[in-house]
Amino acid sequence: MKKIVLLCFLTGLMGSMVHAQWQFGAKAGLGYASITDDLSTKSPILGATVGGFANLTFVESKSMLGEIFYLQMGLNLNRRGSNFQVVMERDNTLSIREGFYHAYYAQIPVLACVHMELPIRKAGHIVGVFLGPTLNMGIFGRCKDRLVSPGISSYTGNYDLDIHGTAHDRAVFTHLKRFDVSAILGVSYEYKNYIASLYVDYGFLPTSNETDIIRVIENSSNSSSNIRVDIPNGYNTAYMLTVGYRF
């Protein structure tokens, strides 16, 4: 019986693929981004995304699967990161520092989407859910920490894919992990060609090869070996609200 059900499902899927059609669109959105599992996180930053998408639909197949299911792929530019507050001990003196980590990622999502029209008098109102993995590559960004209490100098640095700049900058940012794999889970609302989505984007790879980002900055900008920053590493997380248009 299970084999018969599986065969019917595969037959319907293959039939839908024959009648597959592409839809294209663009979207942009804002939200808040943070680095989870990082006890130094003081507050999230403004997260942002902009990009295009392509829907692989199966509506012409006339099957139930084709009516409610489609695949979505895309290319986005995302802003991720977090604000930090750290307490450091140097020569038996405590110093408080604040900083931020802003990174811009190119993202390729592959989402499985299910949607259906609301059973109300006015037609055209569609709700849906979507889920899938993404590949993310850091393109450019900025780290900065500033002095709150006296004791240690401030440091600011930029990075990009080629890690231009001085040897000092390269020593700091070569510790950052540019590649990330995340998962997206969200809900959507469609009316005519307009689409609004609310979703969470959670990364699975830590942002740094070292224990934490601020420690890398401190150890690179100070020669003293008795600096201690007790902060665990974290993972990129963002909650986003986007609006889009399907051409």
Side-chain angles (χ1 to χ4, degrees), residues 68-105:
I68 65 173
F69 177 78
Y70 65 94
L71 294 173
Q72 183 177 99
M73 289 145 282
L75 178 61
N76 305 320
L77 177 64
N78 295 337
R79 185 178 192 254
R80 298 290 186 261
S82 187
N83 296 313
F84 301 95
Q85 186 177 72
V86 296
V87 178
M88 292 158 292
E89 180 183 355
R90 185 183 186 188
D91 298 329
N92 296 320
T93 301
L94 290 179
S95 296
I96 300 175
R97 309 191 66 130
E98 292 180 342
F100 61 76
Y101 168 57
H102 298 168
Y104 294 82
Y105 288 84

Side-chain angles (χ1 to χ4, degrees), residues 130-145:
F130 51 90
L131 170 67
T134 75
L135 300 178
N136 310 274
M137 176 59 70
I139 302 176
F140 58 93
R142 191 183 191 205
C143 279
K144 180 178 181 178
D145 67 326

Side-chain angles (χ1 to χ4, degrees), residues 17 20-23 54-58 69-73:
M17 291 296 292
Q21 289 186 339
W22 288 97
Q23 297 175 344
N55 294 340
L56 183 61
T57 67
F58 313 101
F69 177 78
Y70 65 94
L71 294 173
Q72 183 177 99
M73 289 145 282

Side-chain angles (χ1 to χ4, degrees), residues 12-160:
L13 181 61
M14 293 301 294
S16 298
M17 291 296 292
V18 173
H19 300 279
Q21 289 186 339
W22 288 97
Q23 297 175 344
F24 300 94
K27 65 178 181 179
L30 298 173
Y32 76 86
S34 64
I35 297 180
T36 60
D37 299 328
D38 195 325
L39 298 180
S40 70
T41 297
K42 181 182 178 183
S43 62
I45 66 168
L46 178 65
T49 184
V50 61
F53 62 86
N55 294 340
L56 183 61
T57 67
F58 313 101
V59 292
E60 296 299 323
S61 66
K62 305 302 181 182
S63 67
M64 180 177 296
L65 180 64
E67 289 290 335
I68 65 173
F69 177 78
Y70 65 94
L71 294 173
Q72 183 177 99
M73 289 145 282
L75 178 61
N76 305 320
L77 177 64
N78 295 337
R79 185 178 192 254
R80 298 290 186 261
S82 187
N83 296 313
F84 301 95
Q85 186 177 72
V86 296
V87 178
M88 292 158 292
E89 180 183 355
R90 185 183 186 188
D91 298 329
N92 296 320
T93 301
L94 290 179
S95 296
I96 300 175
R97 309 191 66 130
E98 292 180 342
F100 61 76
Y101 168 57
H102 298 168
Y104 294 82
Y105 288 84
Q107 180 186 68
I108 301 177
V110 180
L111 307 176
C113 311
V114 176
H115 66 168
M116 60 182 61
E117 187 172 354
L118 293 176
I120 58 178
R121 178 176 298 180
K122 188 174 181 180
H125 296 272
I126 299 173
V127 294
V129 296
F130 51 90
L131 170 67
T134 75
L135 300 178
N136 310 274
M137 176 59 70
I139 302 176
F140 58 93
R142 191 183 191 205
C143 279
K144 180 178 181 178
D145 67 326
R146 69 181 184 86
L147 189 65
V148 178
S149 59
I152 307 175
S153 60
S154 299
Y155 177 76
T156 303
N158 298 307
Y159 78 91
D160 56 32

Side-chain angles (χ1 to χ4, degrees), residues 78 80 101-107 134-143 158-165 169-182 205-209 236:
N78 295 337
R80 298 290 186 261
Y101 168 57
H102 298 168
Y104 294 82
Y105 288 84
Q107 180 186 68
T134 75
L135 300 178
N136 310 274
M137 176 59 70
I139 302 176
F140 58 93
R142 191 183 191 205
C143 279
N158 298 307
Y159 78 91
D160 56 32
L161 280 177
D162 297 323
I163 317 180
H164 293 305
D169 290 332
R170 290 193 294 273
V172 173
F173 294 108
T174 50
H175 294 278
L176 298 181
K177 287 186 177 179
R178 299 181 183 277
F179 182 70
D180 191 15
V181 176
S182 64
L205 300 181
T207 55
S208 174
N209 290 316
N236 279 311

